[in-house]
Amino acid sequence: MFEEALCLFTKELTNPIVRMKKENGQMVMVPLFQSHENIVGEVIIEPTNGKKVEHNGVKIELLGQIELYFDRGNFYDFTSLVRELDVPGNLYERKTYPFEFSCVEMPYESYSGINVRLRYILKVTISRNYVNNIVEYMDFIVHNYSPAPLINNSIKMEVGIEECLHIEFEYGKSKYHLKDVIVGKIYFLLVRIKIKTMELEIRRRESTGSGTNTYVETETLSKFELMDGVPVRGESIPVRLFMSPYELTPTYHNINNKFSVKYFINLVLVDEEDRRYFKQQEITVYRLNEKS
């Protein structure tokens, strides 16, 4: 029997270590990589009490997988690389196997949502006769970065109820990086209903599956009160919402034909009778390459 089969990244000293929440809710620290990096490390295997162990080979796989929770247990591999570490033989003592996956294309970011998970793992398999194989996993996180967009148009929209309410709102841009600030203004052109509060929300919409098996979940990630009280005609309210405190991801468009993630700014008005009026606008979120 083996005491352990562990993946140890030799790049851990230079690559950042980030927090990752496992399925059981436990937080663990894992290495962070980006696409086209080299993933280099060692696998250490040590038989218990120095006993001789027969095996049919040792291999390590780098896997990029998508799991849809309505199809739990079935993993869709979009990246699969294999390195054979050892031929069939015997192990008598601790042995170290170096490995390297060079310039690995990892096109999608790690993601853990309501109905879907995209993850990257290193999987070590020790094949054996007549007894179960020993399999060990190690997760790592992938983030991919984008330069600031060359074109970033402002957003101008209106909210209106005929002869009762007319509001214009303007946001400085339509594309935001994860640590950005949403800056804008709300203009009251006509107010004939008694507005009690006004809030600005950031919403995430996750779509998984396709056709009749499409599942859509919307989360409200932030609520920011812009106003408390009744506005008057001609009044303007400034908007300044910092995005960094919230657990945002970039916008994802049809990842491997399995899921999409979109973000929306939602302006909500509540009158004194608790009726709600809202206007929603999609925004693009990206992970800024600060070196660009």
Side-chain angles (χ1 to χ4, degrees):
M1 179 177 292
F2 290 94
E3 183 177 279
E4 55 184 353
L6 301 176
C7 301
L8 302 179
F9 289 102
T10 58
K11 290 195 66 177
E12 279 186 347
L13 295 178
T14 56
N15 275 56
I17 305 298
V18 296
R19 288 159 58 89
M20 186 192 79
K21 182 183 288 188
K22 302 183 74 173
E23 281 192 289
N24 60 8
Q26 179 186 3
M27 300 300 296
V28 295
M29 305 301 293
V30 299
L32 173 65
F33 292 87
Q34 58 183 302
S35 188
H36 297 103
E37 275 200 86
N38 298 333
I39 298 181
V40 182
E42 297 175 338
V43 175
I44 300 173
I45 300 176
E46 184 171 358
T48 302
N49 299 324
K51 294 181 180 178
K52 183 183 80 169
V53 178
E54 297 181 2
H55 66 87
N56 287 332
V58 180
K59 67 179 180 180
I60 184 169
E61 299 170 80
L62 189 155
L63 302 174
Q65 299 180 328
I66 296 174
E67 181 185 23
L68 301 172
Y69 292 160
F70 59 79
D71 190 20
R72 190 176 287 274
N74 288 327
F75 297 95
Y76 301 90
D77 293 345
F78 57 86
T79 294
S80 180
L81 303 172
V82 183
R83 298 287 182 269
E84 299 292 340
L85 300 179
D86 204 351
V87 297
N90 298 322
L91 278 173
Y92 299 92
E93 58 188 3
R94 177 188 176 105
K95 192 168 183 181
T96 300
Y97 301 94
F99 69 86
E100 179 174 357
F101 295 95
S102 301
C103 196
V104 182
E105 183 178 2
M106 296 175 284
Y108 311 127
E109 285 211 357
S110 303
Y111 176 74
S112 181
I114 297 175
N115 287 321
V116 62
R117 176 176 61 156
L118 189 154
R119 67 172 185 164
Y120 291 90
I121 57 172
L122 288 172
K123 177 183 177 182
V124 177
T125 303
I126 304 167
S127 300
R128 299 190 293 173
N129 280 328
Y130 311 118
V131 291
N132 292 334
N133 296 338
I134 289 180
V135 181
E136 289 281 348
Y137 300 90
M138 183 172 186
D139 289 89
F140 61 95
I141 294 287
V142 172
H143 285 169
N144 289 323
Y145 301 86
S146 303
L150 297 176
I151 299 174
N152 199 345
N153 297 322
S154 61
I155 299 172
K156 295 182 179 180
M157 298 188 69
E158 296 183 1
V159 176
I161 302 172
E162 190 173 356
E163 298 183 359
C164 292
L165 180 69
H166 186 190
I167 297 175
E168 290 183 351
F169 59 95
E170 180 177 347
Y171 303 119
K173 51 190 178 182
S174 54
K175 299 174 183 177
Y176 298 87
H177 61 80
L178 296 175
K179 298 179 181 179
D180 218 332
V181 184
I182 298 173
V183 177
K185 271 193 175 181
I186 313 293
Y187 302 94
F188 293 90
L189 305 179
L190 176 64
V191 184
R192 290 180 179 168
I193 58 176
K194 293 184 178 180
I195 296 175
K196 184 170 61 174
T197 61
M198 181 167 63
E199 295 177 339
L200 189 68
E201 300 174 339
I202 299 177
R203 291 185 171 184
R204 175 164 57 211
R205 182 179 299 166
E206 176 188 285
S207 302
T208 55
S210 60
T212 57
N213 290 325
T214 299
Y215 297 83
V216 179
E217 297 281 355
T218 300
E219 299 175 86
T220 299
L221 302 180
S222 75
K223 282 188 178 183
F224 181 72
E225 187 175 274
L226 297 173
M227 183 194 68
D228 182 6
V230 181
V232 296
R233 181 178 179 179
E235 189 173 356
S236 67
I237 305 293
V239 174
R240 192 172 183 84
L241 175 59
F242 291 84
M243 301 173 67
S244 56
Y246 307 107
E247 294 186 3
L248 306 178
T249 69
T251 297
Y252 301 135
H253 295 290
N254 197 25
I255 298 300
N256 205 237
N257 295 318
K258 294 292 186 292
F259 72 96
S260 298
V261 176
K262 297 180 179 180
Y263 287 90
F264 298 86
I265 300 174
N266 193 40
L267 182 66
V268 182
L269 295 93
V270 182
D271 67 16
E272 291 188 343
E273 297 179 8
D274 286 329
R275 289 177 296 198
R276 298 170 65 87
Y277 313 89
F278 64 91
K279 191 72 171 182
Q280 188 166 267
Q281 171 64 36
E282 184 177 357
I283 60 172
T284 298
V285 181
Y286 63 97
R287 192 180 302 278
L288 178 64
N289 184 353
E290 298 178 354
K291 298 179 182 179
S292 63

